[in-house]
Amino acid sequence: MSLSAIILFAHGSRDPLWRAPMEAVAARIAAAHPERPVACAYLELCSPSLPEAAAQLVAQGAAQVTVVPMFLGTGKHAREDLPVLVQALRSAHPATQFHVQQAIGEDPRMTALMADIACESPAGR
């Protein structure tokens, strides 16, 4: 059985508090699926970078890596920057399969969840 890992890929920020929700998602994945290594990676302004996170997971034995763009939509970063970065990963780690999911915000489940949250009354939280 080959090891399948996940990278949560986001823009990045100089503000360390910005990373907390991303790290919470990673922690939730790790708790629910301890057999699936998970890492956060950032395009800029903080680390690790996507190549650094991928190298770490490959070193842990990942044969398959799913990159999850943690963007609300497929903007320039997901449409232009990410494919170039993933192609470089494929060249650097030819024995590892890299798969890129659609931007997380474009998943209908996420759209429904955001709509539900937006419609909550202040007392309902």
Side-chain angles (χ1 to χ4, degrees):
M1 183 173 138
S2 61
L3 189 59
S4 179
I6 299 168
I7 295 177
L8 303 175
F9 180 68
H11 185 274
S13 172
R14 287 182 187 89
D15 184 344
L17 295 178
W18 177 91
R19 297 167 55 141
M22 196 75 51
E23 293 170 354
V25 173
R28 190 167 179 144
I29 292 169
H33 303 279
E35 75 287 357
R36 294 198 70 186
V38 61
C40 297
Y42 305 97
L43 180 63
E44 57 188 13
L45 305 174
C46 56
S47 60
S49 66
L50 184 59
E52 291 167 342
Q56 173 190 3
L57 293 171
V58 170
Q60 292 176 15
Q64 300 162 357
V65 177
T66 299
V67 179
V68 183
M70 301 296 282
F71 302 113
L72 288 180
T74 304
K76 180 183 181 291
H77 293 312
R79 190 175 55 253
E80 297 177 16
D81 299 330
L82 185 55
V84 172
L85 291 168
V86 171
Q87 188 53 48
L89 294 179
R90 290 178 175 136
S91 296
H93 307 284
T96 304
Q97 294 179 354
F98 290 90
H99 169 73
V100 180
Q101 288 186 353
Q102 69 180 357
I104 196 95
E106 293 184 353
D107 184 301
R109 295 169 294 179
M110 182 60 73
T111 305
L113 178 60
M114 288 187 291
D116 289 347
I117 291 168
C119 290
E120 283 183 359
S121 67
R125 286 186 220 165

